[in-house]
Amino acid sequence: QVQLVESGGGLVQAGGSLRLSCAASGRTLNPYAMGWFRQAPGKEREFVAAMGGNGYNTYYTDSMKGRFTISRDNAKNTVYLQMSSLKPEDTAVYYCAARVGSARTTFEDYDYWGQGTQVTVSA
């Protein structure tokens, strides 16, 4: 079992940047693939980014590629999502997730979830 806690969300103006953090406890994240998802009010949870357990294979939604970057620091047992050039449509609750095995882009494939952190982008 692994517990995930997101932080770093907040209010930012369009074009600004935020870095989200996902700190894990319970066990090391080293063998886990990690993903970031987001969910806006009234909408389904959607994929944002993912990274394989090896730390080299990364995946992004096309609309976010080039703006968002997923990374991990195994020494700190933390995964990050660096977001830049933020747009109002990026407003959502952002969740980190973990799974055993390779990275996936669908939420149903992940086993562990954090509580989420709110990101609000003003025009």
Side-chain angles (χ1 to χ4, degrees), residues 38 46-47 60-68 87 90:
R38 69 185 185 185
E46 66 175 340
F47 171 74
Y60 299 93
T61 299
D62 287 342
S63 64
M64 303 170 194
K65 193 172 185 179
R67 299 191 300 122
F68 291 9
K87 307 173 182 179
D90 294 320

Side-chain angles (χ1 to χ4, degrees), residues 70-84:
I70 186 172
S71 62
R72 68 197 300 163
D73 186 340
N74 287 332
K76 296 181 179 180
N77 225 25
T78 301
V79 177
Y80 304 96
L81 182 69
Q82 179 67 50
M83 306 184 294
S84 62

Side-chain angles (χ1 to χ4, degrees), residues 26-118:
R27 63 185 302 171
T28 178
L29 286 179
N30 184 259
Y32 291 90
M34 302 297 299
W36 284 96
F37 294 79
R38 69 185 185 185
Q39 188 166 23
K43 297 184 178 180
E44 295 183 352
R45 193 170 301 180
E46 66 175 340
F47 171 74
V48 174
M51 173 174 282
N54 58 18
Y56 298 107
N57 300 117
T58 58
Y59 308 88
Y60 299 93
T61 299
D62 287 342
S63 64
M64 303 170 194
K65 193 172 185 179
R67 299 191 300 122
F68 291 9
T69 302
I70 186 172
S71 62
R72 68 197 300 163
D73 186 340
N74 287 332
K76 296 181 179 180
N77 225 25
T78 301
V79 177
Y80 304 96
L81 182 69
Q82 179 67 50
M83 306 184 294
S84 62
S85 301
L86 285 164
K87 307 173 182 179
E89 50 263 44
D90 294 320
T91 296
V93 176
Y94 284 72
Y95 300 89
C96 67
R99 71 180 304 273
V100 176
S102 60
R104 296 288 187 269
T105 59
T106 54
F107 74 89
E108 62 190 3
D109 291 320
Y110 285 80
D111 303 305
Y112 307 104
W113 292 87
Q115 290 293 307
T117 185
Q118 176 70 232

Side-chain angles (χ1 to χ4, degrees), residues 8-14 16-18 20 86 91 117-123:
L11 176 64
V12 63
Q13 294 182 356
S17 300
L18 283 174
L20 306 183
L86 285 164
T91 296
T117 185
Q118 176 70 232
V119 172
T120 302
V121 184
S122 61

